[in-house]
PDB file of all heavy atoms in Angstrom:
ATOM      1  N   LYS I 213     127.482 154.426 134.124  1.00  0.00           N
ATOM      2  CA  LYS I 213     127.974 154.433 135.468  1.00  0.00           C
ATOM      3  C   LYS I 213     127.054 153.783 136.444  1.00  0.00           C
ATOM      4  O   LYS I 213     127.475 152.951 137.236  1.00  0.00           O
ATOM      5  CB  LYS I 213     128.216 155.950 135.879  1.00  0.00           C
ATOM      6  CG  LYS I 213     128.890 156.027 137.252  1.00  0.00           C
ATOM      7  CD  LYS I 213     129.130 157.536 137.575  1.00  0.00           C
ATOM      8  CE  LYS I 213     129.646 157.654 138.984  1.00  0.00           C
ATOM      9  NZ  LYS I 213     129.531 158.930 139.505  1.00  0.00           N
ATOM     10  N   GLN I 214     125.805 154.159 136.314  1.00  0.00           N
ATOM     11  CA  GLN I 214     124.768 153.577 137.240  1.00  0.00           C
ATOM     12  C   GLN I 214     124.658 152.045 137.172  1.00  0.00           C
ATOM     13  O   GLN I 214     124.649 151.387 138.173  1.00  0.00           O
ATOM     14  CB  GLN I 214     123.382 154.146 136.897  1.00  0.00           C
ATOM     15  CG  GLN I 214     123.057 155.331 137.731  1.00  0.00           C
ATOM     16  CD  GLN I 214     121.681 155.871 137.247  1.00  0.00           C
ATOM     17  OE1 GLN I 214     120.845 155.175 136.803  1.00  0.00           O
ATOM     18  NE2 GLN I 214     121.541 157.195 137.358  1.00  0.00           N
ATOM     19  N   VAL I 215     124.602 151.597 135.902  1.00  0.00           N
ATOM     20  CA  VAL I 215     124.424 150.141 135.738  1.00  0.00           C
ATOM     21  C   VAL I 215     125.675 149.399 136.211  1.00  0.00           C
ATOM     22  O   VAL I 215     125.597 148.357 136.862  1.00  0.00           O
ATOM     23  CB  VAL I 215     124.115 149.855 134.232  1.00  0.00           C
ATOM     24  CG1 VAL I 215     124.078 148.302 133.999  1.00  0.00           C
ATOM     25  CG2 VAL I 215     122.803 150.456 133.832  1.00  0.00           C
ATOM     26  N   MET I 216     126.860 150.046 135.894  1.00  0.00           N
ATOM     27  CA  MET I 216     128.109 149.356 136.349  1.00  0.00           C
ATOM     28  C   MET I 216     128.142 149.313 137.924  1.00  0.00           C
ATOM     29  O   MET I 216     128.645 148.326 138.481  1.00  0.00           O
ATOM     30  CB  MET I 216     129.277 150.113 135.755  1.00  0.00           C
ATOM     31  CG  MET I 216     130.608 149.407 135.975  1.00  0.00           C
ATOM     32  SD  MET I 216     130.588 147.745 135.127  1.00  0.00           S
ATOM     33  CE  MET I 216     131.860 146.914 135.988  1.00  0.00           C
ATOM     34  N   GLU I 217     127.706 150.358 138.551  1.00  0.00           N
ATOM     35  CA  GLU I 217     127.705 150.347 140.021  1.00  0.00           C
ATOM     36  C   GLU I 217     126.856 149.157 140.552  1.00  0.00           C
ATOM     37  O   GLU I 217     127.315 148.496 141.479  1.00  0.00           O
ATOM     38  CB  GLU I 217     127.093 151.657 140.595  1.00  0.00           C
ATOM     39  CG  GLU I 217     128.020 152.829 140.556  1.00  0.00           C
ATOM     40  CD  GLU I 217     127.357 154.195 140.744  1.00  0.00           C
ATOM     41  OE1 GLU I 217     126.126 154.210 140.861  1.00  0.00           O
ATOM     42  OE2 GLU I 217     128.111 155.184 140.732  1.00  0.00           O
ATOM     43  N   ALA I 218     125.754 148.978 139.939  1.00  0.00           N
ATOM     44  CA  ALA I 218     124.856 147.845 140.342  1.00  0.00           C
ATOM     45  C   ALA I 218     125.506 146.535 140.001  1.00  0.00           C
ATOM     46  O   ALA I 218     125.486 145.656 140.816  1.00  0.00           O
ATOM     47  CB  ALA I 218     123.559 147.989 139.616  1.00  0.00           C
ATOM     48  N   PHE I 219     126.157 146.387 138.827  1.00  0.00           N
ATOM     49  CA  PHE I 219     126.840 145.168 138.507  1.00  0.00           C
ATOM     50  C   PHE I 219     127.909 144.805 139.481  1.00  0.00           C
ATOM     51  O   PHE I 219     128.137 143.664 139.910  1.00  0.00           O
ATOM     52  CB  PHE I 219     127.497 145.289 137.085  1.00  0.00           C
ATOM     53  CG  PHE I 219     126.502 145.133 135.948  1.00  0.00           C
ATOM     54  CD1 PHE I 219     126.930 145.556 134.635  1.00  0.00           C
ATOM     55  CD2 PHE I 219     125.227 144.646 136.101  1.00  0.00           C
ATOM     56  CE1 PHE I 219     126.162 145.390 133.540  1.00  0.00           C
ATOM     57  CE2 PHE I 219     124.377 144.525 134.998  1.00  0.00           C
ATOM     58  CZ  PHE I 219     124.829 144.871 133.731  1.00  0.00           C
ATOM     59  N   LEU I 220     128.675 145.832 139.883  1.00  0.00           N
ATOM     60  CA  LEU I 220     129.805 145.629 140.833  1.00  0.00           C
ATOM     61  C   LEU I 220     129.279 145.192 142.224  1.00  0.00           C
ATOM     62  O   LEU I 220     129.951 144.318 142.847  1.00  0.00           O
ATOM     63  CB  LEU I 220     130.593 146.900 141.016  1.00  0.00           C
ATOM     64  CG  LEU I 220     131.545 147.278 139.782  1.00  0.00           C
ATOM     65  CD1 LEU I 220     131.934 148.742 139.865  1.00  0.00           C
ATOM     66  CD2 LEU I 220     132.824 146.396 139.797  1.00  0.00           C
ATOM     67  N   LYS I 221     128.127 145.711 142.598  1.00  0.00           N
ATOM     68  CA  LYS I 221     127.539 145.282 143.946  1.00  0.00           C
ATOM     69  C   LYS I 221     127.112 143.794 143.878  1.00  0.00           C
ATOM     70  O   LYS I 221     127.279 143.108 144.842  1.00  0.00           O
ATOM     71  CB  LYS I 221     126.351 146.142 144.252  1.00  0.00           C
ATOM     72  CG  LYS I 221     126.895 147.469 144.859  1.00  0.00           C
ATOM     73  CD  LYS I 221     125.736 148.233 145.497  1.00  0.00           C
ATOM     74  CE  LYS I 221     126.223 149.673 145.787  1.00  0.00           C
ATOM     75  NZ  LYS I 221     125.291 150.698 145.259  1.00  0.00           N
ATOM     76  N   SER I 222     126.516 143.384 142.729  1.00  0.00           N
ATOM     77  CA  SER I 222     125.887 142.048 142.738  1.00  0.00           C
ATOM     78  C   SER I 222     126.764 140.997 142.170  1.00  0.00           C
ATOM     79  O   SER I 222     126.456 139.814 142.229  1.00  0.00           O
ATOM     80  CB  SER I 222     124.553 142.087 142.093  1.00  0.00           C
ATOM     81  OG  SER I 222     124.645 142.735 140.847  1.00  0.00           O
TER      82      SER I 222
END
Side-chain angles (χ1 to χ4, degrees):
K213 186 178 175 198
Q214 265 176 31
V215 175
M216 191 62 202
E217 281 166 358
F219 282 166
L220 284 161
K221 278 190 195 130
S222 48

